[in-house]
Amino acid sequence: MMDFESSADVQLQCTSAAFGHMRKRVLEDHAIKSGTNLMVYGNEDIASLLYGSQTWTRGNRNLRTVDSNITTMDQNLKKMDWNVTTHGKSFILYFNFLVAHYEELSLVLRMRCAFRIIQYIYYPVLAVVGFAVNILTIVILPRGKCGLSICVTRYLVAMAVMDLLVIILDLILRHIPILYQKELHFVRSFHVCNIHAVLLHAATDCSVWFTVSFTFDRFVAICCQNLKTKYCTERTAAVVLGTVTLLSGLKNIFWYFMLTRFYTLSNIPWFCYTTDDVLNSPVWGAITFLHYILTPCIPFALILLLNTVTARHIILASRARRQLRGASSGECPSDPEMASRRNSIILLFVISGNFILLWVVFMVNSIWTQMYFLGYDSVYIPFYVMDIGLMLQILSCCTNTAIYAVTQTKFRQQLKNVGKYPFTLILKLIKR
């Protein structure tokens, strides 16, 4: 089989084939040389057109939209210096282009350029921070010195492990190579994209459903006292986490058969090459739509429901206990039992709220995208909304450690001890 990287013509043929019956409108009528075509192929304008081409029909409305996009692309091509040696536009090129043509660009293009500039800094910083904080969480929590039960600790450590995997598989091995294509072009030589997609989506599903599992565990502990001793145990937590991991892996095997093993390194939802049969198949479209319903839509609804019921139970129980203790003692003394629950309750609501806030944009955009693929195009969402959703979704993998540090005094102390340890070790070595 011919290597995708061995011939420029192969890449151009793949680009041309992706446009289907729109080929002449997009490529062949514009007399762009082969070298320029390859550089344009890495440009986000072509990436968005490729992404949109998956749902184009011969309707006049879609044709007018395509003509408008191509006109904008042609104007941008004339403004850009394609003699640059980079494979794709670098941070400086994006910045200079935005500054030089700010008044001429539409709001949508301004936003897309601005977010791309932000991503050049945001993603590398987030990769370093996310990797470090999740490692710290994995090291600190299992030591059992944070005042949390073993059951809760298991869930939090599992969430940190999956968040770390998402940072590696999604951020470091997917988004950063798309931005820094010149420096990381060797990624294309690894023909494992469909395997990468399976692992990435499985890790993401585990991260989400572990949050749901933790929320349900706290719901049982607070609202279902009869089940608390049986369900809220270390063994049950291990069984739940193992089952979720197994089901997430099985659920995402379809990506291996749906996608090819070649990377596109383009800013589109599917970062692997796909065949025309997959793009035009209603069966694969339905499977993908179901995938996004299961994650994150159903977890989103479950977390909202469980937290609502839990909050209602806490309010009613607190009111009843205050009245009972006040009637028996003639005053309203402090309640040690409610005080002991406070940390767990705060942790539950902050983690759940963080998930909802950082995933809502990604969820809405994912569902709209799948609806658009199925022909429901009455509502237009700008392409940069996908960037916002992905940026926030990946950020959610880095925030739990900060949540623990803010809400858990003992975790904060352990974090300080870990930070001091290298300096303490150095002082000991110096004294020797």
Side-chain angles (χ1 to χ4, degrees), residues 208-226:
V208 172
W209 282 98
F210 284 175
T211 304
V212 176
S213 301
F214 170 70
T215 305
F216 183 76
D217 178 86
R218 293 300 86 197
F219 164 77
V220 172
I222 295 171
C223 303
C224 307
Q225 293 296 318
N226 294 335

Side-chain angles (χ1 to χ4, degrees), residues 158-231:
M159 289 162 60
V161 170
M162 287 305 161
D163 286 344
L164 179 62
L165 287 178
V166 172
I167 291 294
I168 295 172
L169 294 170
D170 198 4
L171 182 55
I172 297 177
L173 297 180
R174 175 190 174 188
H175 290 292
I176 290 179
I178 290 174
L179 288 176
Y180 296 92
Q181 292 193 26
K182 178 185 176 183
E183 295 81 2
L184 303 174
H185 64 88
F186 62 86
V187 171
R188 288 182 183 271
S189 62
F190 298 101
H191 298 161
V192 292
C193 190
N194 49 357
I195 299 176
H196 182 181
V198 171
L199 296 176
L200 187 158
H201 288 290
T204 302
D205 283 3
C206 284
S207 177
V208 172
W209 282 98
F210 284 175
T211 304
V212 176
S213 301
F214 170 70
T215 305
F216 183 76
D217 178 86
R218 293 300 86 197
F219 164 77
V220 172
I222 295 171
C223 303
C224 307
Q225 293 296 318
N226 294 335
L227 296 176
K228 179 179 178 180
T229 56
K230 295 181 179 180
Y231 184 83

Side-chain angles (χ1 to χ4, degrees), residues 36-50 73 76-77 80 82 87-89 94 97 112 116 181 265-267:
T36 303
N37 268 333
L38 285 174
M39 286 184 284
V40 172
Y41 180 70
N43 187 344
E44 67 169 300
D45 294 319
I46 284 291
S48 62
L49 285 171
L50 278 170
M73 183 186 72
N76 291 343
L77 290 175
M80 296 177 188
W82 293 108
H87 185 277
K89 293 190 294 183
Y94 268 99
F97 177 74
R112 289 173 64 185
R116 184 50 56 89
Q181 292 193 26
L265 291 186
S266 298
N267 191 32

